[in-house]
Amino acid sequence: YGGVTTKTAIVLGVIGFVALYFANTLNFATIGASVIAPLIIAPIIAIIAVIATHRLPQFAFVTSIVYAVCEGVFLGFISAIVAYFFGGELVQMALVGTFGVLAGMLFLYATGIIRVGSFFRKFMFSMLIGLVIYTLYSKKHSLLAKNQ
């Protein structure tokens, strides 16, 4: 399990570093092609990296880093927009929560406390379906409450 955990940690570390760098260096005063272009180009390059990984798995380490950098640029841009409109505390809470859960799950997986089997997959899929249904239900009711 150590190899998978290490590779996952490296890729997510690259995503986090690039996202933080890009979110902190983005300047909304000079919005132009140089600011908007990465938002359009990064997902396209990320999709190309995913396709290349599926076609040539022997280059997965290189293409995964390219994907991580593109994902970091995109997430950094989105984080900067959210921070600009809603305040930076919201972005910090989301990052700490996301990376905290991720670090905990990587630790549990690496130590073998959690093993992924058919029961675990069924359980997680059921939880995900329940979360999606709850989210759609609560969004529907919050939208209806605003219209009244």
Side-chain angles (χ1 to χ4, degrees), residues 83-141:
Y84 181 76
F85 287 108
F86 301 109
E89 296 83 24
L90 184 65
V91 174
Q92 289 175 352
M93 287 180 359
L95 288 175
V96 168
T98 300
F99 282 101
V101 168
L102 173 72
M105 293 305 291
L106 280 176
F107 173 77
L108 293 173
Y109 181 74
T111 56
I113 294 173
I114 290 181
R115 301 218 183 240
V116 179
S118 63
F119 174 75
F120 185 77
R121 271 191 217 101
K122 290 176 189 175
F123 176 76
M124 291 304 289
F125 189 71
S126 299
M127 296 292 285
L128 178 65
I129 295 297
L131 182 64
V132 167
I133 290 170
Y134 170 76
T135 303
L136 292 174
Y137 178 78
S138 65
K139 290 290 181 187
K140 176 186 164 195
H141 283 294

Side-chain angles (χ1 to χ4, degrees), residues 44-119:
I44 294 170
I45 295 173
I47 291 170
I48 292 170
V50 168
I51 292 169
T53 303
H54 284 284
R55 300 268 184 199
L56 303 166
Q58 63 269 24
F59 296 115
F61 183 73
V62 174
T63 55
S64 65
I65 297 298
V66 170
Y67 175 82
V69 169
C70 292
E71 189 74 21
V73 168
F74 189 76
L75 289 175
F77 190 95
I78 298 300
S79 297
I81 291 172
V82 170
Y84 181 76
F85 287 108
F86 301 109
E89 296 83 24
L90 184 65
V91 174
Q92 289 175 352
M93 287 180 359
L95 288 175
V96 168
T98 300
F99 282 101
V101 168
L102 173 72
M105 293 305 291
L106 280 176
F107 173 77
L108 293 173
Y109 181 74
T111 56
I113 294 173
I114 290 181
R115 301 218 183 240
V116 179
S118 63
F119 174 75

Side-chain angles (χ1 to χ4, degrees), residues 13-29:
V14 170
I15 291 172
F17 177 76
V18 172
L20 285 174
Y21 173 78
F22 199 80
N24 291 327
T25 59
L26 192 62
N27 185 3
F28 284 104

